[in-house]
């Protein structure tokens, strides 16, 4: 079996605040996957020395690495697959809030913004981002 026949698992966070705004991060301009595009914090599930991390542990680690905050995972929001000639991914998305820290762009991001749905629609976003924010907007109301 070649690596292209396997799906990689990705976890992602739609982070919102009390004002109903969503945290959007701009990928680093040197990112190998869609540099400069606006997205939500996400990352591949990694294997640890003791086996796979839980999806929730993986997501918390990714968010801390990307924007420097700790999160509460409120609930499962969505999942979708992404298939290209180069890779196949299954992304599992959680609705989250910040439990500790102030978000800031770190090594994997150039900028971050708190935006409402209409503002997100005006940005050049990664696939599914607008759909996920629309879904999250309905869930948190």
């Amino acid at each position: 079996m070649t690596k292209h026949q396997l799906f990689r698992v990705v976890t992602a966070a739609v982070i919102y605040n009390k004002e109903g705004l969503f945290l959007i991060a701009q990928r680093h301009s040197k990112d190998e996957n869609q540099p400069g595009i606006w997205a939500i914090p996400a990352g591949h599930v990694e294997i640890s020395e003791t086996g796979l991390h839980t999806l929730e542990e993986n997501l918390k680690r990714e968010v801390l690495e990307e924007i420097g905050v700790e999160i509460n995972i409120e609930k499962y929001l969505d999942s979708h697959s992404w298939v290209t000639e180069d890779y196949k991914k299954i992304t599992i998305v959680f609705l989250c809030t910040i439990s500790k820290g102030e978000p800031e762009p770190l090594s994997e991001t150039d900028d971050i913004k708190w935006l409402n749905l209409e503002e997100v629609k005006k940005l050049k976003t990664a696939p599914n981002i607008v759909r996920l924010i629309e879904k999250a907007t309905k869930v948190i109301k």
Side-chain angles (χ1 to χ4, degrees):
M1 190 179 284
T2 68
K3 68 177 181 175
H4 300 300
Q5 293 174 314
L6 300 175
F7 277 83
R8 294 280 318 258
V9 176
V10 175
T11 55
V14 172
I15 300 171
Y16 70 100
N17 64 16
K18 290 181 269 187
E19 291 79 31
L21 300 176
F22 298 93
L23 187 68
I24 304 295
Q26 186 178 34
R27 291 185 183 160
H28 193 279
S29 58
K30 294 181 181 169
D31 192 304
E32 61 187 47
N33 183 23
Q34 299 178 320
I37 203 152
W38 291 86
I40 56 177
H44 291 99
V45 173
E46 295 180 6
I47 297 173
S48 70
E49 293 178 11
T50 59
L52 288 175
H53 291 110
T54 66
L55 297 176
E56 293 83 359
E57 289 170 334
N58 184 79
L59 183 58
K60 288 178 179 187
R61 179 187 49 75
E62 284 291 338
V63 170
L64 190 59
E65 286 175 6
E66 290 183 21
I67 59 172
V69 296
E70 294 178 18
I71 56 169
N72 289 323
I73 297 175
E74 305 294 332
K75 62 172 55 179
Y76 164 84
L77 180 66
D78 188 83
S79 60
H80 56 272
S81 61
W82 183 256
V83 179
T84 71
E85 289 182 17
D86 297 326
Y87 58 83
K88 296 178 182 182
K89 294 181 183 181
I90 295 174
T91 302
I92 301 163
V93 185
F94 295 93
L95 192 57
C96 305
T97 55
I98 293 176
S99 62
K100 185 177 179 185
E102 285 294 321
E104 62 180 316
L106 299 175
S107 62
E108 297 181 25
T109 55
D110 280 345
D111 196 7
I112 56 169
K113 294 181 180 191
W114 287 101
L115 302 173
N116 64 34
L117 174 59
E118 295 309 313
E119 293 167 321
V120 171
K121 288 179 178 180
K122 295 175 185 175
L123 296 175
K124 183 176 181 183
T125 59
N128 285 310
I129 299 303
V130 171
R131 182 183 67 80
L132 291 169
I133 301 288
E134 286 173 338
K135 188 171 186 176
T137 300
K138 292 174 186 172
V139 169
I140 63 175
K141 284 192 176 182

